[in-house]
Amino acid sequence: MSDALENSQARQRLRTLGEALDSGALQQVARILNGGLSPSDIAHLLESSPPRQRALLWNLVDKSLEGEVLQYLSDDIRSYFLSKLNAQELATIIEDFESDDLADLLQQLPDTVIQEVLDTMDDQDRQRVEEVLSYPEDTAGGLMNTDTITVRPDLSIDVVLRYLRRHRSLPPMTDSLIVVNRRDEYIGVMPITKMLVSSPSATVREVMDTDIEPIPVTMSDTQVATLFERYDLISAPVVSEKGKLLGRITIDDVVDVIREDADHSLMSMAGLDEDEDTFAPVMKTTKRRAIWLGINLITAFIASSVIGLFEGTISKVVALAVLMPIVASMGGIAGSQTLTLVIRGMAVGQISGANVAWLLNREFLAGALNGVLWALVVSVAATVWFGDPMIGLIIAAALVINLIAAALVGTLLPLFLKARNIDPALAGGVILTTVTDVVGFLAFLGLATLIYG
Amino acid sequence: MSDALENSQARQRLRTLGEALDSGALQQVARILNGGLSPSDIAHLLESSPPRQRALLWNLVDKSLEGEVLQYLSDDIRSYFLSKLNAQELATIIEDFESDDLADLLQQLPDTVIQEVLDTMDDQDRQRVEEVLSYPEDTAGGLMNTDTITVRPDLSIDVVLRYLRRHRSLPPMTDSLIVVNRRDEYIGVMPITKMLVSSPSATVREVMDTDIEPIPVTMSDTQVATLFERYDLISAPVVSEKGKLLGRITIDDVVDVIREDADHSLMSMAGLDEDEDTFAPVMKTTKRRAIWLGINLITAFIASSVIGLFEGTISKVVALAVLMPIVASMGGIAGSQTLTLVIRGMAVGQISGANVAWLLNREFLAGALNGVLWALVVSVAATVWFGDPMIGLIIAAALVINLIAAALVGTLLPLFLKARNIDPALAGGVILTTVTDVVGFLAFLGLATLIYG
């Protein structure tokens, strides 16, 4: 959990700003905003503000900062502000953008606006952006920058150092130069730290690393993130199918992918979007939540209709109505533990055909053991409560059945959904609780009907 | 969601290894393992293997790779393998460790073993490790490395370049040199990329950045991660309270913190640990899950006892038993949407005293609106199903009440828990569903008793 709430400096700043906003001291607000706050701080402030304050703050942000602030905003909020700019304003804002950030931003605009903006750019810049735009956002191509510094293998380190000194600055996150041949095909990377400890007379060929595999432009962003995490990379070259160098990916963009992927599972399981705006207005929030509640209402009716089959038995033994939620809820809890574990395991690439059988067996056994353990506890409690050992027996059997069903469904369902390209984090929980509700009510009330009916 | 399952190379490797393991061709396995796989790949393979295979694989890993592989393993699995090594073996393995990784690893060992290992080290190394060990694992101090390269401000770039060239290699992730005075107090950082484009005759003072705030050694790791994300850092200096340079933090360790923090919310909400071993043995899994199921059983009994209060009414109108899970479940779904949004907002530092009131109001309105919307749908469905408009009215009222309760509890509960230092991701879901179950049953059956009773 974050300690950000305890970050008294940020809280103080927010409060001062809030008071200034409330009292209408807009000049003071503008001074705080544009004097010393970094664009990422301003973006964070905007994301932490309710709609009315957010609009006020955005109007006070200095025009020269707007572009950078936009880059740090989450998609949802960014596209809102973008929609309020015309093509001329856009063209001014994006002047200093890197090609990957610009492509990200353009992808959120209507096609006509994209074309208008591209028309305002010079040929070289336009070509770069169109290159990145031609790849899907969630691939290496969509993540990459085209601002690489390349060198040839036969140069000496000394020449490279003099070549670098001719630059006014190097692209951000340049930890290595990329070595290419005359056809711009990738050969290797030369880490700057290695270059600095090498003799000036050594050649690039002698110093460079060639054991680093370049990233294919079509690789998914999640796989790119796995590579960066696994090999502790700061930047990595991106190549075309034919081995031609296209650009490079840097760790700052990869961190965003990692954060989004991790947030995705958490938010999806509650039917939320990973860049859900915490301070979205009432109507937007209501509409988005309504869909999820509607889907869950259908599943709740399915569970109810199962209970409806047993109205006769319930009217004879009302204790069944009192106890039945226990069976359903324990199944839901056990199932969502398994489901979450499997979804996380799939996200980090641990689960494959080779180990699913073992996992299923382990979950079955753990479900059965916990089923028996808690069945004993519940049956004693139910027997004492209702003075009827038979009802204790029935609930014990139903609990064991439901915990085993939960284990099997929790393991197999995400794999099944994934194979059908359905997001397990989004659909898994809904389907799982439907199953555990139905199995729970069916087992408990069904057994009771056999005995009492 | 990851595409790692579709990563056919990894799958192929796993399968080949699996087949070789199954057929007992251990020499072949050892050849695949130690010939070409990186330590992080091996760690990933171990984490993706069931216990028996995992033990076999570990025994086949080359002694010289064991240390590095251990660094990439998650805590749970690492401490298992560590517990099987004696102090002598440990001392050999850790020779090439960086001080922060070593401290992490030592913290998982019993105190007597830590002392034994420290005794085998030379004075300088021991001092470094003891320094890092003296800070809690989840602070900047626990994250930092002590292997910094420092320079004085009055040196020329040319002298610095010659000084660097005397090194055999620079520490990993060195993107900047740290500028200190003669008392080792932090002055600024000199980015290597900036140094490379500067005139060799310029001084460090002229080139360095002094506007980067160093990280206090006591800062929490989550706040460190926020800084790295917000300012796109690769490394950052860590200083003592008095401004003395103690070490530096690098992005690779920060990425681990980001991943763990993000996983934490997801896993905790299902009562799982963030470094839960996907392939833990049956008994370990059963024991860990049992606790969570036990806690949830208590809350299920609380909900049941509420139903028990209304046995009389249910025996008169069995339709109530059929419909009551709908009210409880819709409340649980709505509440967990709000809860998840607030927990995520707190984790990224968006929620503070200043905007809670707005958030509470928005959630109240969204809850009420969705309550009314779905109450209409449910009441029509219930009226048609049971041919009784009164039951439609009752369930509609109960649904509105429960969705509003869910919104308020979902917003306030995580803030309340956080203020009491209880992890909202862990405890929030359990308490929330208890509240929505109790309110749901109480409102629905209570209203029904007023009318039918």
Side-chain angles (χ1 to χ4, degrees), chain B residues 128-392:
Chain B
R128 284 185 176 185
V129 173
E130 280 174 341
E131 168 88 33
V132 179
L133 269 179
S134 69
Y135 303 106
E137 207 184 343
D138 59 350
T139 63
L143 270 184
M144 74 183 178
N145 291 316
T146 48
D147 57 348
T148 53
I149 296 197
T150 57
V151 289
R152 294 285 167 76
D154 42 2
L155 296 177
S156 72
I157 299 300
D158 195 40
V159 171
V160 172
L161 285 173
R162 275 188 279 133
Y163 164 69
L164 290 179
R165 217 165 279 141
R166 292 216 308 267
H167 289 71
R168 275 241 320 261
S169 68
L170 302 184
M173 310 257 153
T174 297
D175 66 321
S176 55
L177 310 180
I178 305 180
V179 188
V180 293
N181 65 18
R182 79 189 59 175
R183 286 185 306 280
D184 248 2
E185 286 161 0
Y186 172 81
I187 300 178
V189 297
M190 184 167 67
I192 286 180
T193 49
K194 225 173 145 188
M195 183 174 79
L196 289 175
V197 297
S198 302
S199 149
S201 61
T203 63
V204 168
R205 194 186 304 282
E206 291 162 354
V207 176
M208 69 179 181
D209 289 337
T210 53
D211 56 349
I212 288 171
E213 291 275 324
I215 292 179
V217 69
T218 53
M219 183 181 270
S220 82
D221 58 356
T222 305
Q223 277 181 291
V224 171
T226 306
L227 283 182
F228 268 73
E229 273 192 89
R230 204 170 292 169
Y231 301 111
D232 291 342
L233 303 175
I234 293 174
S235 74
V238 177
V239 296
S240 72
E241 227 171 274
K242 290 176 178 148
K244 201 178 154 229
L245 179 70
L246 296 175
R248 65 186 187 114
I249 294 177
T250 52
I251 182 76
D252 53 331
D253 296 319
V254 172
V255 166
D256 292 341
V257 173
I258 293 172
R259 170 73 77 187
E260 270 169 35
D261 277 3
D263 268 0
H264 175 80
S265 301
L266 174 70
M267 299 295 272
S268 292
M269 285 184 94
L272 300 168
D273 199 75
E274 70 256 29
D275 21 62
E276 192 92 11
D277 174 5
T278 309
F279 296 95
V282 179
M283 286 318 295
K284 201 168 172 185
T285 304
T286 306
K287 243 193 266 175
R288 287 200 179 169
R289 306 265 178 96
I291 299 165
W292 194 242
L293 286 167
I295 294 169
N296 278 281
L297 184 59
I298 297 170
T299 74
F301 264 108
I302 295 173
S304 283
S305 67
V306 172
I307 303 174
L309 300 175
F310 302 99
E311 273 188 68
T313 314
I314 294 173
S315 69
K316 274 190 246 168
V317 189
V318 182
L320 297 174
V322 176
L323 293 173
M324 67 185 186
I326 294 176
V327 182
S329 123
M330 289 292 276
I333 295 292
S336 74
Q337 287 203 302
T338 305
L339 183 75
T340 305
L341 190 80
V342 173
I343 285 176
R344 208 271 311 249
M346 283 164 56
V348 295
Q350 286 175 350
I351 294 174
S352 64
N355 50 32
V356 166
W358 186 91
L359 204 62
L360 192 65
N361 186 49
R362 200 267 318 266
E363 288 299 324
F364 171 81
L365 289 174
L369 285 171
N370 264 317
V372 170
L373 170 68
W374 293 112
L376 288 173
V377 175
V378 171
S379 67
V380 170
T383 304
V384 172
W385 189 352
F386 294 100
D388 177 1
M390 196 45 87
I391 210 163

Side-chain angles (χ1 to χ4, degrees), chain A residues 211-335:
Chain A
D211 56 348
I212 288 170
E213 291 275 322
I215 292 178
V217 70
T218 53
M219 184 182 268
S220 82
D221 58 357
T222 305
Q223 277 182 292
V224 171
T226 305
L227 283 183
F228 268 73
E229 274 193 87
R230 203 170 293 169
Y231 301 112
D232 292 342
L233 303 175
I234 292 174
S235 74
V238 178
V239 296
S240 73
E241 226 171 278
K242 289 175 180 150
K244 200 178 154 226
L245 180 70
L246 297 175
R248 66 186 185 114
I249 295 177
T250 52
I251 182 76
D252 52 331
D253 296 319
V254 172
V255 166
D256 292 342
V257 172
I258 292 173
R259 169 74 77 188
E260 271 169 35
D261 277 2
D263 268 1
H264 175 80
S265 301
L266 174 70
M267 299 295 272
S268 294
M269 285 185 91
L272 300 168
D273 200 76
E274 71 258 28
D275 22 64
E276 191 92 12
D277 175 5
T278 309
F279 297 95
V282 179
M283 285 319 295
K284 200 167 173 189
T285 304
T286 306
K287 241 192 267 174
R288 288 200 179 171
R289 306 266 178 96
I291 298 164
W292 193 242
L293 285 167
I295 293 169
N296 278 280
L297 184 60
I298 296 169
T299 74
F301 265 108
I302 295 174
S304 283
S305 67
V306 172
I307 303 173
L309 299 175
F310 301 98
E311 274 188 68
T313 313
I314 293 173
S315 70
K316 272 190 247 167
V317 188
V318 182
L320 296 174
V322 177
L323 292 173
M324 68 186 186
I326 294 176
V327 182
S329 122
M330 290 291 277
I333 294 291

Side-chain angles (χ1 to χ4, degrees), chain B residues 303 306-307 310 320 323-332 394-395 397-403 405-406 432-448:
Chain B
V306 172
I307 303 174
F310 302 99
L320 297 174
L323 293 173
M324 67 185 186
I326 294 176
V327 182
S329 123
M330 289 292 276
I394 295 171
I395 198 170
L399 203 61
V400 174
I401 291 171
N402 207 18
L403 258 61
L432 176 92
T433 49
T434 308
V435 172
T436 50
D437 278 358
V438 167
V439 171
F441 292 138
L442 210 55
F444 183 57
L445 299 175
L447 286 170

Side-chain angles (χ1 to χ4, degrees), chain A residues 369-424:
Chain A
L369 284 172
N370 265 316
V372 170
L373 170 68
W374 294 111
L376 288 174
V377 175
V378 172
S379 67
V380 170
T383 304
V384 172
W385 189 352
F386 294 99
D388 176 1
M390 197 44 90
I391 210 165
L393 261 177
I394 295 171
I395 198 169
L399 203 61
V400 173
I401 292 171
N402 207 19
L403 258 60
I404 290 176
L408 301 182
V409 175
T411 311
L412 294 176
L413 179 64
L415 295 163
F416 174 87
L417 291 173
K418 173 91 182 161
R420 263 145 207 80
N421 275 321
I422 304 169
D423 179 2

